[in-house]
Amino acid sequence: MAPPRAGQRGLFGRGLRDVWLAQGAGRIEGVRAGRAVESWFFPAPGDEPYAFMHVRDGAAARADLDRLGVSESGTRVTVPLAAARLPPDGRLRMLVAQLVQLRPILEDPQRTVYLTTPGQTSQLVRYPAPEPDPERPVLFDGEVKVTTALSARIVVRRAKEPISQGFSRATRRGGLVIRSGRAAHETTLAGFEGRPGTRHLYGDVFCEAIEVLQREALDRPRPELVVKVDRSGLNEHHPLVAKLYAAIDRVLAPIVAAEERRAGAHLVAAPKAVSARDQVGLRALNDLLKTAFDRPGQGGLEPGEQPSAHAPANWPEQSQPEAESDADREREPYDGGQPTPDADPADPASTPPPGVQAEALRFKQSPLRLHPGEKRTVTLLADPLRVAPGTPVEVQADPGITVTLRQTEIPEPGGRRICAIQMAVRARVTVEPGSRLEVLAQAGEHTAQLELVIVRHRASGWVREIARKNEDQPVEAEFDPETGVVTVYEGRREFRELERAAQRAGLSKKRAPEYVPFRMLEVEAAANAVYQWAAGEVVAQQLAEERPHAPADYAAAVHHQTQTLRHRFHHKLMQAFLEPEIFAGAVSVARAPRAAAARQLSLDDQQAELDG
């Protein structure tokens, strides 16, 4: 397993062998230069860490190429995994496509990577690289001194759109990817993690000294590794890594400062009365969002049905049957405690629509916002008809999250025929603000995901602040869920026209947001941006896959959910953001008298003026 030369393998002469040792076995098949090779690896019974057997080493036939799905040469690596530990298909594709350690392979134009999961067809995996800013694609590209003898090349690029922080640093697309040789180790922003000015930044750091020092350390009796043993990133305690982070800080400091100045250059301060009313409206907006994500209701675990052809009947108690069998009780859907007549199997209106499947296991609220070091109690709900009471519950969490279960098995159903398990979720103090982490719960063959958004200590709820910018943008407002700021672009033409109207009404330019039509337009723009984000989150929870097969259907689902949220909450939101006098009928429109010069004259008046 030793490479013929030092630079042949990118992970310091190790890597795939360690994966096989961790999983217990593995297989590698390949065709190259007209020869087919197949080798098996498995645990050794003696003191050796592993044993291997060359199953085949001979001339390659056409059937070997077809079996691997390649035309000339290729390699297939098989790693056995426990099926219970696999995440859902959409989540697994995202992890593979965005994993930092796989980017050198995914970015190689001479390689093609396919992902195949049980029951699914093979899918091409590519890294979703950010789209560069057409005006300023590269902000810095040059050599910097790390030590007196070592240097590194740092390339800082700017994306056209803000880059999401992702679920973890191992899969996020933003930040600088530290590379050496053929390996990518981690993505980092050094001392600027979580800063607003880094939302558009991405790039690379090339430091060949990392690989050299790592290889030298592996040959020593007491090595001081540059890269962590589990390959999750660099060892921050190593002197070279500390100096490399300091060099990155020196490069990023002026860039981040310029980005933050540019982002806040056109901010407009609102009057005190408007700011005070904003706080009332934001509290109401956060309460409404919590209601939307909680998905309340007595039959929340049951799928919807077609409209019934019969009106609901409220039967008196004495007409109810005195006893019913357990089979009949399980067959009847839960309706909130009201008896329902038996459905006619021949009636198509009583049959659930095809393709609709209830959620057997889910978290009551997702996503959930946590501060670093904060501890929250969450509820895991299970349908007892599909997840039997007594089924063991297993929980896996991303690094930085600790989960404590109060029960390790599905309990008996409560009064609403739903099993509920309480668990404590805590974010460690070392978690970076802006991270998006996940908790995966599994009971039997069913899984549920809880998304956690780590926010700064100054954030409160989903929406923290309404920022106003004197800029003209194609979108009327944007919502950043990681900072909780809704930015309304008041440089658009509709805001400009209402600002001039406010000045004609006697208000100064600074007090234009107090003008009722201006204020209503501002609230509408901010609310629509939040509705759009919330609708995307709700639809993502409802879909089994993260990447829908029909983009038009996904867009239509998000649009419909946006209108549903607006229909449910917007009337309450307007009452919270606007003054109570508006809804009491105290606002009236006074028509200005027409100027004499602007009065349209009739033909008789014009003739009279000519005669005079």
Side-chain angles (χ1 to χ4, degrees):
M1 294 297 292
R5 59 185 185 274
Q8 183 175 354
R9 183 172 296 138
L11 290 179
F12 319 122
R14 305 172 62 191
L16 183 57
R17 178 182 60 184
D18 300 334
V19 175
W20 281 335
L21 290 176
Q23 297 299 325
R27 179 178 63 181
I28 183 170
E29 307 166 79
V31 175
R32 184 177 183 183
R35 298 190 64 82
V37 178
E38 181 178 354
S39 300
W40 289 70
F41 296 82
F42 45 87
D47 296 334
E48 295 294 329
Y50 66 93
F52 63 91
M53 178 183 297
H54 296 301
V55 179
R56 182 184 178 187
D57 187 0
R62 185 63 192 177
D64 299 321
L65 296 174
D66 296 339
R67 183 162 52 89
L68 293 179
V70 296
S71 58
E72 297 181 1
S73 63
T75 304
R76 174 188 292 170
V77 178
T78 303
V79 179
L81 296 175
R85 295 166 55 186
L86 285 178
D89 294 338
R91 167 74 169 159
L92 182 61
R93 285 198 302 270
M94 188 275 294
L95 290 175
V96 174
Q98 298 184 198
L99 188 63
V100 174
Q101 286 77 7
L102 287 180
R103 291 186 190 178
I105 300 176
L106 298 176
E107 294 173 349
D108 190 348
Q110 299 181 356
R111 294 185 177 184
T112 303
V113 180
Y114 291 90
L115 176 64
T116 304
T117 55
Q120 301 291 334
T121 59
S122 299
Q123 297 188 10
L124 179 65
V125 179
R126 292 189 181 277
Y127 170 61
E131 182 180 358
D133 190 337
E135 299 178 357
R136 299 183 300 158
V138 179
L139 302 180
F140 182 86
D141 186 355
E143 295 281 340
V144 296
K145 283 289 185 179
V146 179
T147 64
T148 55
L150 301 177
S151 62
R153 180 191 172 197
I154 300 179
V155 181
V156 182
R157 299 180 175 89
R158 191 179 193 277
K160 181 180 179 181
E161 302 293 338
I163 304 174
S164 174
Q165 296 294 332
F167 293 97
S168 66
R169 291 181 59 178
T171 58
R172 72 178 182 183
R173 300 185 302 151
L176 305 182
V177 179
I178 300 181
R179 304 171 183 258
S180 65
R182 301 171 60 188
H185 305 291
E186 69 175 18
T187 175
T188 182
L189 289 166
F192 294 93
E193 294 285 352
R195 290 281 294 270
T198 61
R199 292 297 310 280
H200 291 79
L201 303 184
Y202 71 105
D204 302 281
V205 177
F206 302 94
C207 184
E208 301 299 335
I210 295 177
E211 181 169 358
V212 176
L213 294 178
Q214 181 78 3
R215 291 185 183 276
E216 294 177 354
L218 291 175
D219 298 332
R220 297 174 182 173
R222 301 180 62 182
E224 186 179 7
L225 300 179
V226 187
V227 181
K228 295 180 181 178
V229 178
D230 59 356
R231 312 288 168 78
S232 61
L234 300 181
N235 178 17
E236 62 272 11
H237 303 291
H238 194 279
L240 174 65
V241 177
K243 295 179 180 179
L244 181 60
Y245 286 162
I248 295 175
D249 282 341
R250 291 195 299 269
V251 173
L252 290 181
I255 297 177
V256 174
E259 287 290 312
E260 293 182 349
R261 286 195 302 268
R262 183 173 181 270
H266 300 89
L267 287 178
V268 179
K272 293 184 179 180
V274 174
S275 299
R277 199 66 198 176
D278 280 348
Q279 299 303 318
V280 179
L282 292 176
R283 285 195 295 268
L285 180 57
N286 289 326
D287 291 340
L288 299 178
L289 287 178
K290 181 179 179 181
T291 303
F293 287 121
D294 278 351
R295 293 178 289 176
Q298 295 178 342
L301 290 177
E302 296 296 330
E305 298 182 355
Q306 296 287 352
S308 176
H310 308 285
N314 296 325
W315 294 352
E317 287 189 16
Q318 58 270 21
S319 63
Q320 297 183 16
E322 297 181 359
E324 58 181 353
S325 63
D326 295 338
D328 293 336
R329 186 181 300 108
E330 293 181 358
R331 183 171 62 251
E332 294 180 359
Y334 182 72
D335 60 349
Q338 297 295 333
T340 57
D342 295 336
D344 185 5
D347 186 4
S350 62
T351 305
V356 176
Q357 187 178 12
E359 292 181 275
L361 195 70
R362 70 174 177 86
F363 285 94
K364 184 179 179 182
Q365 177 180 338
S366 180
L368 188 68
R369 297 171 68 89
L370 286 178
H371 299 91
E374 184 181 2
K375 183 178 180 181
R376 296 279 296 274
T377 301
V378 298
T379 304
L380 179 66
L381 303 179
D383 183 1
L385 300 182
R386 301 179 60 188
V387 184
T391 304
V393 179
E394 298 180 359
V395 176
Q396 296 181 3
D398 287 340
I401 298 295
T402 58
V403 181
T404 304
L405 283 172
R406 297 184 181 178
Q407 294 175 280
T408 58
E409 297 180 351
I410 299 294
E412 294 294 330
R416 296 184 176 180
R417 299 184 183 179
I418 296 177
C419 306
I421 297 180
Q422 303 290 331
M423 61 179 66
V425 178
R426 180 180 179 273
R428 297 181 180 177
V429 294
T430 57
V431 178
E432 296 292 342
S435 303
R436 301 176 71 89
L437 308 178
E438 270 200 353
V439 174
L440 180 66
Q442 180 171 359
E445 60 180 6
H446 304 285
T447 60
Q449 293 182 359
L450 171 64
E451 181 181 350
L452 302 174
V453 181
I454 308 301
V455 298
R456 298 177 182 84
H457 281 282
R458 65 183 183 183
S460 175
W462 278 277
V463 188
R464 179 179 61 87
E465 178 187 353
I466 295 181
R468 300 159 175 87
K469 275 194 174 182
N470 189 18
E471 292 182 2
D472 187 7
Q473 296 288 342
V475 295
E476 58 183 7
E478 291 179 334
F479 175 54
D480 185 356
E482 296 173 3
T483 60
V485 178
V486 185
T487 304
V488 182
Y489 296 101
E490 298 184 354
R492 291 164 58 94
R493 283 174 289 184
E494 61 268 28
F495 284 98
R496 293 291 192 188
E497 294 174 357
L498 289 178
E499 182 180 348
R500 289 192 290 267
Q503 293 177 358
R504 289 194 294 266
L507 297 176
S508 63
K509 184 177 181 179
K510 185 177 180 180
R511 294 184 58 192
E514 299 179 11
Y515 188 55
V516 174
F518 190 99
R519 175 64 172 169
M520 294 183 67
L521 180 61
E522 184 180 71
V523 173
E524 288 280 345
N528 288 337
V530 178
Y531 290 150
Q532 185 74 17
W533 167 79
E537 296 291 332
V538 173
V539 172
Q541 296 174 10
Q542 296 174 352
L543 295 179
E545 296 290 339
E546 295 185 14
R547 298 182 180 179
H549 298 287
D553 294 342
Y554 179 78
V558 173
H559 175 73
H560 177 75
Q561 186 64 40
T562 303
Q563 297 301 315
T564 301
L565 294 176
R566 183 181 177 89
H567 178 263
R568 291 175 57 189
F569 302 137
H570 199 62
H571 65 289
K572 297 180 180 179
L573 198 62
M574 296 296 287
Q575 293 178 1
F577 270 102
L578 302 180
E579 297 293 337
E581 293 80 3
I582 297 176
F583 298 92
V587 177
S588 60
V589 177
R591 298 186 179 275
R594 294 182 178 180
R599 185 172 58 88
Q600 184 177 1
L601 301 178
S602 63
L603 294 178
D604 295 338
D605 295 337
Q606 295 179 11
Q607 186 64 36
E609 288 185 358
L610 292 176
D611 294 342

